[in-house]
Amino acid sequence: MSAVNSKLNADLHCHSTVSDGLLAPAEVVRRAYAHDAELLALTDHDELSGLAEARAAADEVGLRFVDGVEISVSWGNDTSLHIVGLGIDPAHAGLRESLAYLRSGRDRRARLMSEELDKVGIHGAYEGALRYVSNPSLVSRAHFARYIVEIGRARDVKSVFDYWLGKDKPGYVRHVWASLEQAVAWVRNAGGVSVIAHPLRYKISRQELRRLFGEFRDFGGEAIEVLSGGQCEADTLEFARYAREFGFLASRGSDFHGPGESRVDLGKLAALPEGLTPVWSKLV
Ligand code: AMP
Ligand code: MN
Ligand code: MN
Ligand code: MN
């Protein structure tokens, strides 16, 4: 077996219109290829239905492709986490059923969010968000954010989260997603590797973050995103240290949602720091 190339231009986290991305799965693939990505995973939220189209497009252009998913998780006292599953079997019945169940709570949550937003003068948010949705089983806060920008109540998607949709903001609705243990088990049972997505994004202390890493590892989690879209070099080096300390494989993903909406484009991430085992050592 040849040595794993840790400098491979891998992008193992991004979204299409089957969740809250702006481009269709095939367009995501073609954009990644045009940006010189060498390995791509599509990781839509709680949804596998874009993978067949993405893989067909990847085969057509000659880009190596990994089937992925980003699972919504509730951890501890109302912390939402995201676990990326890489190399999963998209036909796995157990995973498909579990994700369908997870998605089934989204519509009700969206209606409740709309009711809360109505109380603060943002009217018609459910219908407004739906106009941005391609997959009716996957209404996300990102769709609400686009509507709120459209009606001029925030200047960009990020500000919507700061003022309206982030935790403890007026439009936030508490929701119970999968447990960490479930998410890791679903991915493992479907033949994949679990990755903690964008570990910097969670509003938890470093002490809690270490507890999360320990629990995740105990449940069988194997990797963390050392590189995620838009983080600075100091953050990357900090997560490289955690990867070494906890014995995690290192992943690299832009979390691209669409042109103009994401700080880092597909295939445009910095290189992994030295001395890490890339997660693609288990994928290619
Ligand atoms: P949901 O799964 O419905 O809770 O929506 C989560 C999605 O909202 C994430 O996947 C992002 O696309 C988006 N999001 C969450 N927080 C932010 C933020 N601070 N800035 C921009 N987008 C965000
Ligand atoms: Mn998203
Ligand atoms: Mn995420
Ligand atoms: Mn994501």
Side-chain angles (χ1 to χ4, degrees), residues 142-201:
H143 301 114
F144 278 81
R146 288 170 194 148
Y147 170 69
I148 291 170
V149 172
E150 175 197 314
I151 62 169
R153 296 295 295 266
R155 69 167 183 275
D156 55 25
V157 163
K158 187 189 171 298
S159 310
V160 176
F161 284 87
D162 294 341
Y163 292 103
W164 304 113
L165 296 182
K167 193 173 171 194
D168 302 325
K169 302 299 173 192
Y172 182 77
V173 170
R174 194 181 166 123
H175 190 77
V176 179
W177 303 104
S179 71
L180 182 61
E181 185 170 14
Q182 283 175 319
V184 173
W186 296 347
V187 170
R188 184 181 49 238
N189 293 341
V193 178
S194 288
V195 187
I196 297 184
H198 43 63
L200 198 67
R201 188 91 63 77

Side-chain angles (χ1 to χ4, degrees), residues 77 86 118 124 129 148 160 163 192 218 221 238 242 251 258 262:
N77 182 27
L86 296 175
D118 197 67
I148 291 170
V160 176
Y163 292 103
D218 290 346
E238 178 180 355
Y242 290 130
S251 192
S262 298

Side-chain angles (χ1 to χ4, degrees), residues 13 15 45 70 82 197-198 201-202 255 257:
H13 184 158
H15 298 273
H45 298 287
E70 182 174 17
H82 287 165
H198 43 63
R201 188 91 63 77
Y202 311 125
D255 202 7
H257 280 71

Side-chain angles (χ1 to χ4, degrees), residues 260-281:
E261 217 175 84
S262 298
R263 279 177 291 177
V264 173
D265 212 316
L266 290 160
K268 297 288 185 189
L269 287 152
L272 271 187
E274 301 290 332
L276 299 170
T277 307
V279 70
W280 50 92
S281 63

Side-chain angles (χ1 to χ4, degrees), residues 124-155:
Y126 177 75
E127 294 74 18
L130 279 191
R131 285 197 282 104
Y132 290 91
V133 167
S134 309
N135 171 3
S137 82
L138 209 299
V139 192
S140 135
R141 283 184 292 165
H143 301 114
F144 278 81
R146 288 170 194 148
Y147 170 69
I148 291 170
V149 172
E150 175 197 314
I151 62 169
R153 296 295 295 266
R155 69 167 183 275

